[in-house]
Amino acid sequence: MGYWIYYLSSNVVGLFPLLQFLTLSCSPLSEATTSPTVPHVKPSYSFGRTFLGLDKCNACIGTSICKKFFKEEIRFDSWLSPHLKLPPNYLLSYSGNYTDDAKSWRLVDITRLTTKYQHDQADKRICTSVSNTKACSIERVLRKTERFQKWLKAKRLTPDLVQGLPSPMLRCPSQRLLDRIVRRYAEVPDAGSIYMDHLTDRDKLRLLYTLSVNTHPILLQIFPDVEGWPFPRYLGSCGRLIVSASTRSLREFYSSSPDVAADLAFQLLSVVSSMGNNDLNYLFYFIRVDASTFGIFNNGHLFIRDASTLGIIDKQEGSQLTDGQQEYRDIFSCLASDCQSTFLSCKTVRENQNFIMVCQEILPKLLKGKFLQPVQEKIDSFLRRCANSFLDSQEVSDAAAKLTEFLRPLRSCDSRFAYRYPDCKYNDKY
């Protein structure tokens, strides 16, 4: 299978030399045992702490899935090769395999929150913020900041504690949204509480670091797929890598057949509609989109693959930060972006901007030239209106709704669309 195991008689006695990890400030790991009587030990592969980012913990995402890496229950695709080597550390995303029983495997995405280069640059900025040196204890510096000292004393995550963080998710935070983050933060045992009493100092730093660099994993945690939200499943993190269910980029489907294109466009418009109309009364809005924003599972189901560009407006409570508070900056404001970047006002968000973006950037590439002339002309007409930023919100929404309904009968009902088959044979809803 392309991975190394130790044998003593017929029993497996070790998997990875974990001693190098035992001094890390991470979750306890199961120790592998070895025997001095083993006559011959094959060389095992041990990946460095720097690849995972464990050398930077607790300025990292978490350690909830580290054991699966060490037990080879998560494997990079390159581990299946005879050379048993890790992929290059400069990549942003890796394809991997995940198992719970060592028999059945499923594909996963192993992803960095930002590029290795951007992580390194941010680490240098942290060090130079306190002294003229490029190397330091990242954790020690972040712990001494004014913001984190406030976090240590806080019983509840409040808007003032996240002011100035660059993620669009936190530009217009409500208390209701912040309570949901604490209550559903998956890197700690579930306490089901809005208060941060169950978070250790280490947990608070990891949560703050994640919110500062990229809120993608937090969105996957607090709006899980099992509740019907259009995000891939969050499986855990190790150091500065996260593991989630695997999807194929929508870009791979631009040349697909007309019925597949119609199906994906129908799903995409339905997802965008749900982002502004859902039971929790949140408005999810994109600040930008491209084909990599959306992904397709093996069963044909479309999801939001990259949630890092999603902002949230609480239509029930509204934002509890003023524009002046949004402009507040410290070292946590530039861990993944330019420290001089401009914050957008919550007041500039339009309810129809999601439809405008996907009708401008995504749907033309998916639907253009796929259908016979009368049908294509109708689709193009709806797309032009949906993409017109000069129309009011209701006109844009109406055009998107009409396009959605026009696409419905253009979809096929067969096993290629496993996410709705065979239900589509008996129910027009599918």
Side-chain angles (χ1 to χ4, degrees), residues 14 53 69 94 153 178 180 249 265 279 309 343 363 368 381 383:
F69 277 107
Y94 310 91
K153 299 172 185 176
L178 298 180
R180 189 175 182 87
S249 170
D279 292 341
T309 63
F343 288 101
L363 292 181
K368 285 285 187 181
S381 174
L383 279 177

Side-chain angles (χ1 to χ4, degrees), residues 163-173 285-288 308-313 319 321-329 337-338 340-350 353 357:
Q163 64 175 313
L165 297 185
S167 167
M169 176 187 173
L170 298 171
R171 287 179 185 169
C172 316
Y285 66 93
F286 289 109
I287 59 172
R288 64 180 181 277
S308 64
T309 63
L310 272 180
I312 299 178
I313 300 285
S319 174
L321 279 183
T322 66
D323 286 346
Q325 288 175 308
Q326 285 180 308
E327 295 293 338
Y328 172 87
R329 287 185 175 88
S337 61
D338 184 353
Q340 304 304 316
S341 60
T342 302
F343 288 101
L344 299 176
S345 170
C346 303
K347 299 175 183 177
T348 64
V349 177
R350 299 175 58 186
Q353 70 183 45
M357 285 184 182

Side-chain angles (χ1 to χ4, degrees), residues 323-375:
D323 286 346
Q325 288 175 308
Q326 285 180 308
E327 295 293 338
Y328 172 87
R329 287 185 175 88
D330 63 359
I331 191 62
F332 288 100
S333 304
C334 54
L335 293 185
S337 61
D338 184 353
C339 299
Q340 304 304 316
S341 60
T342 302
F343 288 101
L344 299 176
S345 170
C346 303
K347 299 175 183 177
T348 64
V349 177
R350 299 175 58 186
E351 287 210 27
N352 65 354
Q353 70 183 45
N354 291 330
F355 282 127
I356 293 173
M357 285 184 182
V358 298
C359 289
Q360 286 179 346
E361 303 295 332
I362 307 296
L363 292 181
K365 299 171 184 175
L366 187 62
L367 296 174
K368 285 285 187 181
K370 293 286 178 68
F371 304 91
L372 296 178
Q373 197 57 34
V375 173

